[in-house]
């Protein structure tokens, strides 16, 4: 058992690592789209997954030599597991794709609001697939999130558009609607992925790392057809100025490294911290990400936008705390021994 000081230092380090990596990943993706005028989120997602796959292979090689990386099990190929995990990977690809598609159309501060309905869909899917009911208190917290989403989605604030279209109100509303739809789809897939993970983890002996290996490898194969379906390939061919830029590819690789680091950070948070710590750090990260987005991107945000963000983050935090308290206070009834009937004595 580690000393208390070392344990606290490790938790602080893991949470800080998650903070920096998660926020940086969103900002780097937005930077690529804006600095290079490169609005091809699915292609960027594919590049990041390729880099993540390389990272996983590297960690699996180091895992046999470095004790700190002993959790990184080597990749394997099991046909039965492939068939069992493939539906989960499709959901995983949808989650990654709609995250970046949403980011393409909305401002970074609104990104949190657009994807805020995850808790709502989580309730629906856990009841549908796991037959898990939700308490009234948690439902009230979800109502706050929904209210924040509706308030935040109102108006044209929070949308990203080319400078030439800044005064085209109809175009801005249309673009925001597309961003909101992608955000809702992202929420659906994030909630569905969380539910599916609980169902599929037993297939890999509850190894989140092995599951990540399968998901990343399959996503590299599944994303190219989506890139073609969304029409990004023809547009990419006309962007030789960007694709021939060393600076662009270096930035892409760095973004991919951060994408891999996010998977590592989430794994470390699950392994080394408590659910309560995850809840608090996730809420704090959302606040910091939103505030920094307004400062760094000089994004337009109005009163309804601020109210929407506050309600979404506050409602999500309230919901997470309620779920934590419910799990912590869940009483497991002891199994009492069955009293055997006593035989009467003949004496």
């Amino acid at each position: 058992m580690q000393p208390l000081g070392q344990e606290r230092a490790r938790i602080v380090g893991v949470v800080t690592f998650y903070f920096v990596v998660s926020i940086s990943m969103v900002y780097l993706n937005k930077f690529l789209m804006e600095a290079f005028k490169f609005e091809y989120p699915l292609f960027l997602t594919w590049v990041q997954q390729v880099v993540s796959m390389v990272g996983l292979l590297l960690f699996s090689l180091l895992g046999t030599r470095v004790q700190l990386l002993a959790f990184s099990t080597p990749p394997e190929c099991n046909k039965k597991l492939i068939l069992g995990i493939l539906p989960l990977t499709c959901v995983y690809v949808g989650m990654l794709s709609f995250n970046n598609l949403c980011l393409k159309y909305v401002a970074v501060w609104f990104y949190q609001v657009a994807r805020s309905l995850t808790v709502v869909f989580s309730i629906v899917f856990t009841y549908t697939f796991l037959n898990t009911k939700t308490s009234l208190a948690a439902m009230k917290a979800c109502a706050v999130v929904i209210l924040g989403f509706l308030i935040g989605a109102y108006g044209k604030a929070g949308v990203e558009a080319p400078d030439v279209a800044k005064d085209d109100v109809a175009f801005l509303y249309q673009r925001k609607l597309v961003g909101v739809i992608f955000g809702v789809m992202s929420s659906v897939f994030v909630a569905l992925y969380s539910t599916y993970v609980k169902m599929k983890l037993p297939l890999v002996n509850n190894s989140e790392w092995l599951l990540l290996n399968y998901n990343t490898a399959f996503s590299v194969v599944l994303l190219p057809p989506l890139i073609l379906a969304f029409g990004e390939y023809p547009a990419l061919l006309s962007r030789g100025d960007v694709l021939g830029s060393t600076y662009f590819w270096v930035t892409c690789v760095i973004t991919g490294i951060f994408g891999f680091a996010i998977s590592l950070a989430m794994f470390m948070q699950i392994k080394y911290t408590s659910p309560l710590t995850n809840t608090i750090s996730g809420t704090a990260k959302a606040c910091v990400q939103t505030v920094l987005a307004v400062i760094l991107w000089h994004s337009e945000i109005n009163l309804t936008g601020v109210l929407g963000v506050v309600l979404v983050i506050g409602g999500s935090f309230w919901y997470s705390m309620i779920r934590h308290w419910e799990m912590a206070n869940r009483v497991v009834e002891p199994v009492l021994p069955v009293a055997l009937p006593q035989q009467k004595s003949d004496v």
Side-chain angles (χ1 to χ4, degrees):
M1 186 175 180
Q2 289 187 334
L4 184 59
Q6 291 184 14
E7 183 71 18
R8 287 177 176 173
R10 184 173 66 178
I11 291 173
V12 171
V14 168
V15 171
T16 303
F17 179 56
Y18 168 75
F19 245 67
V20 174
V21 168
S22 182
I23 294 176
S24 299
M25 181 65 183
V26 175
Y27 289 174
L28 280 170
N29 274 326
K30 196 66 175 176
F31 172 78
L32 277 169
M33 294 179 190
E34 292 189 352
F36 296 95
K37 307 298 181 184
F38 195 80
E39 293 193 333
Y40 310 107
L42 295 180
F43 176 76
L44 292 177
T45 304
W46 178 75
V47 172
Q48 290 157 15
Q49 289 305 101
V50 171
V51 175
S52 294
M53 191 69 247
V54 174
L56 287 170
L57 292 173
L58 181 61
F59 266 57
S60 66
L61 293 174
L62 295 175
T64 57
R65 302 176 183 179
V66 182
Q67 183 61 32
L68 183 64
L69 303 178
F71 60 83
S72 54
T73 54
E76 60 180 58
C77 184
N78 185 308
K79 291 183 179 179
K80 291 184 179 179
L81 285 182
I82 290 174
L83 293 176
I85 294 174
L86 192 56
L88 174 65
T89 305
C90 292
V91 175
Y92 177 72
V93 169
M95 177 181 71
L96 295 177
S97 301
F98 283 113
N99 278 350
N100 277 346
L101 282 168
C102 175
L103 189 59
K104 171 183 175 180
Y105 289 94
V106 303
V108 178
W109 72 261
F110 184 70
Y111 183 62
Q112 187 69 32
V113 176
R115 299 165 56 252
S116 62
L117 296 183
T118 301
V119 293
V120 178
F121 291 113
S122 294
I123 291 176
V124 175
F125 293 141
T126 52
Y127 178 77
T128 303
F129 296 109
L130 303 177
N131 198 28
T132 302
K133 296 182 179 180
T134 304
S135 66
L136 180 60
M139 295 289 283
K140 290 179 180 178
C142 277
V144 173
V145 174
I146 294 172
L147 180 61
F149 171 81
L150 294 175
I151 292 175
Y154 178 78
K156 62 183 178 68
V159 64
E160 291 290 345
D163 293 335
V164 294
K166 292 292 185 182
D167 298 325
D168 190 339
V169 177
F171 177 79
L172 292 176
Y173 275 107
Q174 182 182 13
R175 193 170 174 89
K176 185 172 184 178
L177 177 60
V178 174
V180 169
I181 291 173
F182 282 141
V184 172
M185 292 303 299
S186 171
S187 300
V188 170
F189 278 94
V190 170
L192 195 57
Y193 180 74
S194 177
T195 305
Y196 255 124
V197 164
K198 296 177 183 178
M199 299 167 61
K200 299 297 183 180
L201 264 178
L203 292 176
V204 291
N205 296 320
N206 294 317
S207 172
E208 295 94 345
W209 190 261
L210 184 57
L211 192 62
L212 179 62
N213 273 275
Y214 275 104
N215 279 338
T216 305
F218 294 158
S219 65
V220 171
V221 178
L222 293 175
L223 275 166
L226 281 178
I227 297 173
L228 182 62
F230 275 78
E232 289 190 4
Y233 273 133
L236 283 169
L237 296 176
S238 65
R239 295 304 309 272
D241 58 322
V242 175
L243 295 178
S245 167
T246 303
Y247 178 42
F248 169 77
W249 285 109
V250 169
T251 310
C252 270
V253 171
I254 292 173
T255 308
I257 293 172
F258 272 89
F260 170 68
I262 279 185
S263 299
L264 185 62
M266 293 176 67
F267 178 81
M268 292 174 68
Q269 278 223 132
I270 293 171
K271 187 175 180 62
Y272 296 118
T273 67
S274 67
L276 180 59
T277 303
N278 292 340
T279 297
I280 295 173
S281 66
T283 304
K285 187 219 75 170
C287 295
V288 173
Q289 179 175 297
T290 303
V291 173
L292 284 178
V294 175
I295 295 173
L296 297 177
W297 261 267
H298 306 288
S299 301
E300 175 192 352
I301 182 170
N302 53 18
L303 182 59
T304 57
V306 173
L307 183 58
V309 170
V310 170
L311 288 174
V312 160
I313 295 177
S316 299
F317 179 72
W318 183 22
Y319 171 83
S320 300
M321 291 300 296
I322 290 171
R323 296 296 294 166
H324 171 74
W325 289 329
E326 288 175 349
M327 292 181 69
N329 296 327
R330 186 177 297 167
V331 179
V332 180
E333 296 183 2
V335 179
L336 300 176
V338 178
L340 298 175
Q342 297 182 354
Q343 294 181 347
K344 292 183 179 180
S345 174
D346 294 334
V347 179

